[in-house]
Amino acid sequence: MKRILVIGSGGQIGSELVPFLRKKYGKENVIATGRRTVLPKVITEGGPWVYLDALNQESLKKVIYENSIDHIFHMASVLSATGEKIPQTAWDINVNGLINVLEVSRRYGVERVIWPSSIAAFGPTTPRENTPNETILQPTTMYGITKVSGELLAEYYYKKYGLLTLSMRLPGIISSETAPGGGTTDYAVEIFYEAIKNKKYTCFLKEDTKLPMMYQPDCLKCHVNFVEIDESKFKRHVYNVTGVSFTAGELAAEIKKIIPEFTIDYKPDFRQEIADSWPKSIDDSVARKEWGWNPKYDLAGITKDMIEKLSKRLV
Ligand code: AKB
């Protein structure tokens, strides 16, 4: 049985990835870790939980060794908008945390390190429509710089030490359980909470801002693929993946079909410049061809499911 460590298990993806993995691999085999002290019960009571700061290499060694870990999901990250406010902390957590994980993993015989990159690895000089897997990587945000550095570091540890590293360039993730924090695509989650609670939302991006997005169930499936799929299928270590691209206006219109009283206005802030430097749509045909990536949710499917799930909780 696989022994899996999740670092950053209190975050938007980690908090749902942990229960998902526990269901699949057995609760004792998935060790949830992170630095957050306020965590959902499903993390702390659903199986083993250990406080862990990835910047502390000694603690990392201890947890990996004592739990005979063979697969690591390293999910801890400072996102794009926060990264612009605290660039050095973003570098420390995103890059120094990752190199610690890679270094300890290669020394302690970990088999796979799965670490999400992001569409933020691209920048204004990258083709913005149908952005290919192999293309220009010249990001202009600190978050993007940490993602490109991380992709290079992960590749280095594979080539030099044979540690299997796998990364997906995630688009904005839309999820119903834990809200994201500090990202540019966060509007696409906030909008649902506000539509259900207050029937109105002020968006921090312009109406015609188009970005690639993915629904959480597809995102979780993508992570598990990286544990399950045979190494021989992966011809590279970083993959574009996407669900669906839409503008803020198109999302609002889809919500209005279910909540007709919903209204939206637009007050773009500093995050607009970040969004304008990112792709509008992603070509993920390489992931589809090499290991069968096949997301299920489109805009209508995401909207319906989010409103159903959140309505049960929020009213
Ligand atoms: C962000 O908005 O910073 C993230 C991302 C696209 O990586 N959601």
Side-chain angles (χ1 to χ4, degrees):
M1 196 31 109
K2 294 180 169 63
R3 299 277 299 160
I4 301 175
L5 181 74
V6 180
I7 301 168
S9 48
Q12 185 196 13
I13 303 174
S15 61
E16 288 191 64
L17 183 62
V18 168
F20 193 79
L21 294 170
R22 283 179 175 158
K23 218 166 151 195
K24 194 164 172 54
Y25 299 106
K27 60 181 180 148
E28 289 311 317
N29 293 316
V30 180
I31 322 298
T33 71
R35 301 201 306 180
R36 290 193 194 188
T37 43
V38 182
L39 285 160
K41 280 204 174 107
V42 71
I43 302 288
T44 50
E45 293 173 13
W49 148 255
V50 183
Y51 175 88
L52 179 67
D53 181 351
L55 290 174
N56 184 335
Q57 218 187 83
E58 289 311 309
S59 316
L60 203 52
K61 280 183 194 162
K62 193 166 180 296
V63 174
I64 290 174
Y65 176 73
E66 285 178 354
N67 293 285
S68 311
I69 296 299
D70 46 42
H71 285 60
I72 298 182
F73 285 94
H74 181 37
M75 311 302 295
S77 183
V78 171
L79 298 185
S80 56
T82 306
E84 292 309 286
K85 294 183 182 148
I86 45 167
Q88 181 149 20
T89 307
W91 179 269
D92 282 345
I93 292 182
N94 298 5
V95 182
N96 296 336
L98 175 63
I99 199 169
N100 281 349
V101 171
L102 294 168
E103 189 57 25
V104 176
S105 295
R106 67 112 178 155
R107 289 207 234 149
Y108 284 72
V110 170
E111 277 172 37
R112 292 187 186 197
V113 173
I114 298 141
W115 172 80
S117 182
S118 162
I119 53 163
F122 304 117
T125 53
T126 310
R128 291 189 70 201
E129 286 284 7
N130 277 322
T131 306
N133 211 90
E134 309 326 317
T135 187
I136 302 162
L137 299 174
Q138 291 177 332
T140 46
T141 60
M142 177 48 87
Y143 177 60
I145 292 167
T146 67
K147 289 299 179 187
V148 174
S149 309
E151 288 185 10
L152 293 170
L153 272 176
E155 182 73 30
Y156 174 85
Y157 272 80
Y158 173 73
K159 284 210 177 110
K160 182 123 181 165
Y161 301 110
L163 170 65
L164 182 55
T165 57
L166 291 165
S167 299
M168 56 303 240
R169 292 196 183 112
L170 291 178
I173 303 300
I174 301 177
S175 64
S176 58
E177 301 309 303
T178 303
T184 302
T185 56
D186 293 11
Y187 94 85
V189 178
E190 283 173 16
I191 193 171
F192 285 101
Y193 282 82
E194 295 307 311
I196 291 164
K197 283 192 296 191
N198 303 318
K199 314 282 179 244
K200 60 179 181 0
Y201 178 60
T202 300
C203 183
F204 57 75
L205 297 180
K206 290 190 213 150
E207 182 173 6
D208 62 354
T209 307
K210 184 175 162 195
L211 287 168
M213 302 278 177
M214 185 188 292
Y215 198 34
Q216 182 81 299
D218 282 328
C219 176
L220 299 177
K221 189 172 74 178
C222 177
H223 282 74
V224 170
N225 279 337
F226 278 179
V227 175
E228 286 296 308
I229 291 173
D230 191 77
E231 184 173 352
S232 61
K233 297 260 182 213
F234 301 111
K235 307 287 179 243
R236 64 203 83 218
H237 298 270
V238 182
Y239 287 93
N240 281 2
V241 287
T242 191
V244 56
S245 280
F246 50 79
T247 65
E250 284 163 350
L251 175 55
E254 201 59 43
I255 292 174
K256 246 173 127 44
K257 287 184 193 163
I258 305 175
I259 307 174
E261 333 70 289
F262 175 61
T263 59
I264 183 163
D265 62 350
Y266 300 90
K267 288 210 175 78
D269 65 15
F270 73 101
R271 289 169 280 194
Q272 185 65 49
E273 195 182 332
I274 301 177
D276 287 342
S277 76
W278 289 352
K280 293 172 195 272
S281 61
I282 295 287
D283 173 2
D284 59 3
S285 54
V286 172
R288 288 172 186 264
K289 190 163 153 253
E290 287 188 11
W291 49 271
W293 168 242
N294 185 19
K296 181 174 149 212
Y297 285 87
D298 61 8
L299 176 56
I302 296 172
T303 308
K304 184 170 168 289
D305 204 56
M306 278 293 282
I307 293 178
E308 265 169 32
K309 291 214 169 96
L310 288 182
S311 298
K312 280 190 203 134
R313 258 207 352 255
L314 298 178
V315 290

